[in-house]
Amino acid sequence: MPDTARPTVLFVCVHNAGRSQMAAAFLTHLAGDRVEVRSAGSTPADAVNPSVVAAMAEVGIDISAETPKVLTVEAVRASDVVITMGCGDTCPVFPGKRYLDWQLPDPAGQGVDAVRPIRDEIEKRIRTLIAEIAVP
C-alpha cells in the first residue's frame, strides 16, 4: 500500500503534553503503519506531562521520548482527520478535512490517578476511530 493511501490523523490540544500525546500514541500502537499520526499544540509545553508518561507506561506504551510540537497550518492541511481536544478556535479549518472535537478533561497538573480515566477514554475513542476510518 503506498503511503498516500494511508489516512493521516492529527491530534491537537493546547499544550500537546497530555491528551493529544496519549491519542497519538494509542493510534500508533493500535494501527501501526496503517495510519500516519501527528500531534501538535496551539501553545506547546516544554515537555510531556510526567503523569501522562507514567499512565501510558502502565499500559505498555512508552512516550517518554516524545516532545510537544507546535501546531502549523501545514500539519492541518496535510491531514485527513483533525481531532481537537480543547484548542478552541486556534485550529485552522480547510475544506475536505474531517474535524472532530473530543471534549476530554485536561490532565495538566493532575496525578496518575486522575490521568487513568482520561487515558482509558482516549483508548476507547481511538478504537472507534480506527473502525470509522476503515483501517484494516
Side-chain angles (χ1 to χ4, degrees):
M1 174 185 286
D3 281 350
T4 56
R6 294 187 310 165
T8 301
V9 178
L10 171 65
F11 296 99
V12 182
C13 67
V14 176
H15 300 297
N16 189 224
R19 296 165 289 189
S20 56
Q21 290 285 350
M22 287 189 283
F26 271 123
L27 185 54
T28 299
H29 179 75
L30 296 169
D33 62 0
R34 298 172 292 166
V35 178
E36 185 173 344
V37 181
R38 297 183 170 112
S39 71
S42 52
T43 309
D46 293 330
V48 176
N49 180 329
S51 295
V52 167
V53 172
M56 293 300 287
E58 290 178 349
V59 294
I61 300 174
D62 180 6
I63 62 169
S64 61
E66 296 299 325
T67 57
K69 296 165 237 20
V70 68
L71 175 64
T72 65
V73 170
E74 293 77 26
V76 177
R77 187 176 286 130
S79 299
D80 300 305
V81 180
V82 179
I83 300 174
T84 58
M85 302 172 176
C87 74
D89 295 331
T90 61
C91 194
V93 176
F94 294 100
K97 308 290 178 199
R98 179 177 177 194
Y99 290 88
L100 301 170
D101 185 40
W102 289 358
Q103 295 295 317
L104 297 160
D106 188 347
Q110 303 293 318
V112 176
D113 288 343
V115 173
R116 284 184 191 113
I118 302 167
R119 173 200 67 200
D120 295 345
E121 179 61 25
I122 289 171
E123 180 182 10
K124 283 187 230 170
R125 292 181 188 207
I126 292 298
R127 289 181 183 280
T128 300
L129 177 69
I130 290 170
E132 288 174 356
I133 61 176
V135 176

